[in-house]
């Protein structure tokens, strides 16, 4: 196995791990704010690692440029969407979960 293949596998495994953490967080966390937080951060990292791994596996082609553009789109839209969801929840008066509730 070449060092490039090892790097690709490591990136893909890391991406799948963080995507799994996102799924568990969305299912397990108690309120919309915490769910938006985990969905924005770990999902962005997981998708980023997966897309970098795919770009390395493809090599230098036009598809790699499309993958890089998709990566930039994910890095911009995921935190923006999470912010919009949290703001909408706050405007609707949804209280954050507290341990004493």
């Amino acid at each position: 196995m070449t060092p490039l293949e090892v790097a690709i596998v490591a990136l893909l495994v890391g991406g799948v791990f963080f995507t799994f953490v996102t799924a568990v967080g969305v299912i397990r966390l108690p309120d919309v704010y915490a769910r938006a937080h985990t969905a924005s951060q770990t999902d962005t990292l997981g998708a980023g690692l997966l897309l970098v791994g795919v770009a390395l596996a493809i090599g230098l082609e036009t598809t790699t440029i499309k993958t890089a553009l998709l990566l930039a789109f994910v890095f911009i839209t995921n935190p923006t969407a999470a912010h919009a969801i949290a703001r909408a929840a706050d405007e609707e008066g949804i209280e954050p979960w507290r341990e004493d509730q």
Side-chain angles (χ1 to χ4, degrees):
M1 197 176 235
T2 67
L4 179 62
E5 291 172 342
V6 171
I8 291 169
V9 169
L11 287 168
L12 294 178
V13 168
V16 169
F17 171 75
F18 282 108
T19 303
F20 179 74
V21 169
T22 300
V24 171
V26 168
I27 292 170
R28 298 275 313 190
L29 291 176
D31 68 350
V32 66
Y33 301 105
R35 291 177 184 155
H37 179 74
T38 189
S40 68
Q41 292 191 349
T42 55
D43 191 41
T44 302
L45 182 58
L49 290 174
L50 287 171
L51 288 171
V52 170
V54 168
L56 286 176
I58 291 172
L60 194 56
E61 295 182 12
T62 55
T63 307
T64 306
I65 295 170
K66 293 177 185 176
T67 305
L69 290 174
L70 183 60
L71 179 64
F73 181 75
V74 167
F75 275 125
I76 293 170
T77 57
N78 268 0
T80 304
H83 176 76
I85 290 169
R87 186 175 180 155
D90 184 54
E91 289 176 357
E92 289 294 320
I94 298 173
E95 295 289 327
W97 179 82
R98 294 182 185 198
E99 195 168 326
D100 57 345
Q101 292 177 341

